[in-house]
Amino acid sequence: MNNYESGQNTANILIVDDIPANLKVLGDILKNEGFRVRPVPSGKLALQVIEKEKPDLILLDIMMPEMDGYEVCRHIKANHQFSEIPIIFISALNETGDVVKALKAGGVDYVTKPFQAEEVLARVHTHIKLYRQSIDLKMINLTKDKFFSIIAHDLRGPMGGFAGMTELLVEHMQHMTMDEIQENLGLLRDSSNNLFQLLENLLQWARLQQHEISYNPGTLNLQSIANENVKLIEEFAKHKGIKITMDIPGKLNVYADKNMLQTILRNHISNALKFTPVGGNVLLTANAPDDKYVEISVSDSGIGMTQEMIDSLFSLNSQNGRPGTGGEPSTGLGLLLCKEFVEKHGGTIRVESEIDKGSRFRFTVPMTI
């Protein structure tokens, strides 16, 4: 992950040149501008460094032993993980053919030696800006595609089922027994609750992307907030025969945004119910391991996940929207919201799971100041 993607503003620049004096001059220029700099003396070492820490931009010499700059550039561009990193060639070669060869290899710019510091900085700033804009554009398109997927598939299916059940009741209710009517009304209630949560998550995610969700933390009693959210979905739990157990100290207070904390709890509890079979158990606990944070845990006896599922759980472009044990719709969007909101509080979120043995989600929020 590069610095920009991890939320840091300081760009990380890799300088590749076999002459130590060049590395020092370029490094000093960039460090004085506030950039993070990693100088390496060979192309092979540069390829190893990139694998460990993805830079935001590469300044690449051409004439180097073992592997010249052209070959280094081609290696980088052939790897889809790093192919979009902008590469600026810096070389004493100044023939038109050299420039053309560098650009054909995948470079975005070319600076000839001896260079002026102002020219190098201007080009570096320009290409980092363009690189970051391309990342932003990809995230925008990814979010848009996710929305369309949810609207076209995840909402359309449940809406069709809801409409079908209401039509069944309207046309055949006079021939149904009271027990049958109550059973169908219960299914309608569960369906409407699922649809409401899908819409709520979708709207909150849209607002989050537009930076329209404010963060207003205050002192909250955790047991009280948890009780409120359990009551909202206890009917659904009863319908699946799932027992919810809560073990949260009554005097445990947190310093959190109420709306965000409710969203985090509601999504975690709902997911536990979704992926737990009839007759299972869900356990909600909390403790204060230190004097700064409270750790909240939601465990279930559900179907669990593979390590591959866990690794991609909080990725927007992953396909984690598998249906629940009762066919309940799921988009994966709720967990993305949870992660965003937990991190907004300075907390962390962790997952432990095993196929057919259940899952445990743990997250932290600050204690009352």
Side-chain angles (χ1 to χ4, degrees):
M1 179 179 288
N2 59 43
N3 294 304
Y4 178 64
E5 290 172 322
S6 62
Q8 301 175 19
N9 291 321
T10 305
N12 183 18
I13 299 176
L14 179 67
I15 307 174
V16 189
D17 198 310
D18 64 318
I19 300 176
N22 290 341
L23 290 176
K24 185 177 187 318
V25 170
L26 270 173
D28 289 345
I29 290 170
L30 295 167
K31 286 176 184 175
N32 289 336
E33 192 71 6
F35 293 112
R36 288 181 59 202
V37 176
R38 179 69 185 270
V40 294
S42 73
K44 286 187 176 180
L45 183 57
L47 295 177
Q48 294 173 15
V49 169
I50 291 170
E51 290 283 350
K52 295 179 180 178
E53 184 177 3
K54 184 179 177 182
D56 297 295
L57 183 136
I58 300 171
L59 296 178
L60 181 61
D61 186 31
I62 293 177
M63 295 184 293
M64 295 183 293
E66 292 187 82
M67 182 183 292
D68 65 26
Y70 300 129
E71 189 177 353
V72 174
C73 186
R74 284 192 288 267
H75 271 282
I76 294 170
K77 295 301 174 180
N79 189 324
H80 74 278
Q81 294 182 53
F82 312 120
S83 61
E84 294 181 359
I85 301 173
I87 298 174
I88 300 176
F89 282 91
I90 297 188
S91 175
L93 300 175
N94 58 9
E95 297 293 330
T96 301
D98 300 316
V99 177
V100 171
K101 187 175 180 180
L103 296 178
K104 283 186 175 180
V108 296
D109 211 337
Y110 194 101
V111 177
T112 56
K113 298 176 182 177
F115 52 79
Q116 296 294 319
E118 293 81 4
E119 178 187 9
V120 172
L121 288 174
R123 295 182 188 233
V124 165
H125 278 295
T126 295
H127 288 293
I128 285 177
K129 182 179 179 180
L130 290 172
Y131 178 53
R132 292 180 167 184
Q133 287 175 341
S134 72
I135 292 173
D136 284 339
L137 185 59
K138 283 195 169 183
M139 288 305 299
I140 289 169
N141 286 332
L142 195 58
T143 302
K144 178 195 68 177
D145 291 344
K146 184 71 175 179
F147 286 159
F148 286 157
S149 172
I150 292 169
I151 292 169
H153 179 266
D154 298 286
L155 284 178
R156 187 178 180 183
M159 282 296 294
F162 187 86
M165 280 190 286
T166 55
E167 186 174 346
L168 178 70
L169 277 173
V170 169
E171 293 183 356
H172 302 285
M173 190 166 61
Q174 66 270 28
H175 305 299
M176 292 181 178
T177 65
M178 184 56 67
D179 286 344
E180 289 173 333
I181 292 172
Q182 287 181 336
E183 182 182 354
N184 279 281
L185 287 175
L187 292 172
L188 279 174
R189 180 200 57 223
D190 293 342
S191 181
S192 65
N193 287 338
N194 286 328
L195 281 168
F196 177 80
Q197 184 164 338
L198 282 174
L199 285 169
E200 183 71 13
N201 285 341
L202 183 61
L203 292 172
Q204 286 210 55
W205 180 253
R207 290 178 61 207
L208 191 65
Q209 302 313 300
Q210 298 298 319
H211 308 290
E212 293 179 357
I213 293 183
S214 58
Y215 174 61
N216 300 305
T219 298
L220 302 170
N221 181 264
L222 184 58
Q223 188 185 80
S224 176
I225 295 292
N227 272 322
E228 287 178 22
N229 284 274
V230 168
K231 285 180 181 178
L232 288 174
I233 51 180
E234 63 183 358
E235 285 301 319
F236 176 62
K238 288 178 182 177
H239 180 72
K240 288 190 77 172
I242 296 172
K243 182 182 179 182
I244 301 177
T245 304
M246 193 164 66
D247 183 14
I248 298 177
K251 295 182 179 180
L252 192 56
N253 292 330
V254 295
Y255 188 72
D257 180 286
K258 185 175 182 179
N259 291 329
M260 289 186 182
L261 183 58
Q262 286 180 324
T263 297
I264 297 167
L265 286 169
R266 186 181 68 247
N267 275 290
H268 275 98
I269 299 168
S270 293
N271 274 348
L273 294 174
K274 243 177 230 177
F275 297 107
T276 297
V278 173
N281 297 284
V282 170
L283 174 63
L284 180 61
T285 65
N287 63 83
D290 54 45
D291 58 355
K292 293 182 179 179
Y293 284 89
V294 171
E295 182 179 82
I296 302 163
S297 169
V298 180
S299 306
D300 64 62
S301 59
I303 57 178
M305 293 176 284
T306 64
Q307 188 58 49
E308 184 180 5
M309 290 176 182
I310 295 172
D311 292 341
S312 65
L313 206 54
F314 300 103
S315 173
L316 183 63
N317 59 353
S318 63
Q319 300 298 319
N320 288 315
R322 57 176 179 163
T325 56
E328 303 94 337
S330 176
T331 64
L333 203 57
L335 285 176
L336 287 172
L337 278 173
C338 289
K339 184 174 185 293
E340 296 263 11
F341 287 166
V342 166
E343 291 177 350
K344 192 77 172 177
H345 286 81
T348 58
I349 186 166
R350 291 180 291 166
V351 187
E352 301 161 7
S353 188
E354 194 174 339
I355 289 292
D356 295 329
K357 292 188 178 180
S359 301
R360 183 185 185 193
F361 285 78
R362 292 188 286 173
F363 63 92
T364 56
V365 292
M367 289 188 70
T368 299
I369 296 174

